[in-house]
Amino acid sequence: MAKAFASQGDMTEKKITFDQIGDGLYAFTAEGDPNSGVIIGDDSVMIVEAQATPRLAGKVIECVRSVTDKPISHVVLTHYHAVRVLGASAYGADQIIMGDQARAMVVERGQEDWDSEFQRFPRLFEGHESIPGLTYPTTTFSDDMTVYLGNRRVDLMHLGRAHTAGDIVIHVPDQNVMFTGDIVEDHSACYCGDGHFSDWGDTLDNIASFDVDAIAPGRGGALIGKDAVERAIESTRDFVYSTYAPAAKVAARGGSLKEAWDAVRAECDPKFADYAIYEHCLPFNVARAYDEARGIDTPRIWTAQRDLEMWEALQG
């Protein structure tokens, strides 16, 4: 039987966890599905990452309502990917915030990304009929901005390219807790198809410099305590390097994409094969690593057609 493309065969509902990672701070996680974060201020709530559909956003809202009845005033999106942003309408927030670069990527490739991700991961798009369209922010910023939820300060920062060119992180200083989006993962493969391998390590260093007490990562469990934070940062670093280095060696000698695929599998399978969405991410990761090693700085736009052509080439 032919192997299912990406996560087309993954139709199993995941167990949701809702962990407190600081006073008034929560991580919504689901066994390797995209995470969301919750920041409760004096009078209102900020959501970090909207989920893929209003239906999935409803599960986040249910968890929020289990701990507070304060209105949701802000939705912050760490980057442009469809599985992170298309559920934003469900929250009824006055403010939807992205970095400038993330908004530019919605304009440039948002629809193509939606079409591509819909094909890759059908379970996450159940209820897609309720998505009103692409999610655009009401507010953007360049390097950093601060939002006050009453007296609670929330710092939004672009610390460097990694998972995408437009990644931002969210830091809550009074608890020294960070929401990193997909820059940091825990026991989950990093999706690198739109990534910047050469910058990712420096961006992880910038995150590590905050010496935070907890992180809500992009995927995987909540990271509570400095030991857990350090472990996840370093395992993310290892994953990114172990993906890029073999592909770069193949590209340097003029080898093919299929040869890069074989080389990356040889390096990564023994270490990461049990990570969530590992098989899903691998073909996109290899293709992007191979491109970057050949000097293509801006990731090429993934389309539903390009996805399948790449998959057929790797399988052949």
Side-chain angles (χ1 to χ4, degrees):
M1 178 183 292
K3 184 182 294 184
F5 169 65
S7 292
Q8 289 179 347
D10 178 7
M11 300 304 292
T12 304
E13 199 74 14
K14 306 303 181 184
K15 178 183 177 182
I16 291 171
T17 57
F18 191 61
D19 296 317
Q20 187 166 11
I21 57 175
D23 185 18
L25 305 175
Y26 295 86
F28 173 99
T29 69
E31 297 185 297
D33 276 0
N35 294 342
S36 289
V38 177
I39 302 171
I40 301 174
D42 293 333
D43 302 310
S44 68
V45 177
M46 174 183 286
I47 302 293
V48 179
E49 312 288 39
Q51 298 285 317
T53 66
R55 170 185 170 272
L56 286 173
K59 296 185 178 184
V60 179
I61 294 168
E62 286 178 13
C63 289
V64 171
R65 292 294 162 243
S66 73
V67 294
T68 183
D69 60 1
K70 294 174 183 178
I72 296 170
S73 57
H74 297 75
V75 173
V76 176
L77 305 170
T78 66
H79 60 286
Y80 77 99
H81 282 151
V83 293
R84 298 292 180 182
V85 307
L86 292 180
S89 63
Y91 298 96
D94 290 335
Q95 292 289 315
I96 299 175
I97 304 173
M98 285 182 178
D100 288 336
Q101 290 170 295
R103 186 191 186 281
M105 295 176 90
V106 173
V107 174
E108 177 193 38
R109 58 183 69 196
Q111 187 62 55
E112 290 86 351
D113 180 71
W114 180 355
D115 295 342
S116 171
E117 293 199 53
F118 182 85
Q119 173 181 254
R120 300 178 196 181
F121 222 142
R123 176 174 54 80
L124 290 183
F125 287 91
E126 291 177 0
H128 63 90
E129 300 86 357
S130 60
I131 301 170
L134 291 172
T135 298
Y136 289 94
T138 60
T139 304
T140 64
F141 65 96
S142 179
D143 296 319
D144 56 73
M145 72 176 290
T146 296
V147 175
Y148 285 93
L149 301 175
N151 289 319
R152 169 157 266 179
R153 173 174 174 162
V154 182
D155 294 326
L156 284 57
M157 298 168 285
H158 175 65
L159 297 181
R161 303 191 302 182
H163 174 70
T164 72
D167 298 330
I168 64 169
V169 302
I170 298 89
H171 183 235
V172 184
D174 68 77
Q175 294 291 295
N176 198 25
V177 168
M178 189 173 281
F179 301 80
T180 64
D182 286 316
I183 303 173
V184 177
E185 312 285 28
D186 182 44
H187 212 76
S188 176
C190 302
Y191 174 73
C192 311
D194 300 300
H196 294 269
F197 288 93
S198 298
D199 294 0
W200 205 314
D202 289 341
T203 303
L204 289 172
D205 289 342
N206 291 336
I207 289 172
S209 71
F210 282 80
D211 194 27
V212 295
D213 295 313
I215 280 178
R219 294 178 186 264
L223 303 166
I224 301 172
K226 293 184 186 297
D227 288 346
V229 167
E230 181 180 2
R231 173 186 54 77
I233 288 174
E234 293 312 310
S235 67
T236 299
R237 189 191 310 276
D238 186 28
F239 185 95
V240 171
Y241 177 80
S242 296
T243 301
Y244 183 67
K249 288 179 182 178
V250 171
R253 61 173 173 80
S256 69
L257 177 62
K258 179 64 167 64
E259 290 174 306
W261 163 261
D262 292 338
V264 172
R265 291 215 74 130
E267 177 69 21
C268 290
D269 283 5
K271 294 193 284 187
F272 308 118
D274 65 337
Y275 275 26
I277 67 167
Y278 175 72
E279 293 290 346
H280 172 113
C281 293
L282 197 62
F284 304 98
N285 293 358
V286 173
R288 174 57 193 150
Y290 184 72
D291 275 359
E292 183 172 322
R294 294 182 301 140
I296 300 174
D297 182 67
T298 300
R300 291 188 287 149
I301 296 174
W302 290 102
T303 66
Q305 182 62 34
R306 183 187 168 208
D307 287 357
L308 295 180
E309 289 173 353
M310 176 269 295
W311 181 243
E312 290 172 1
L314 292 176
Q315 295 307 297

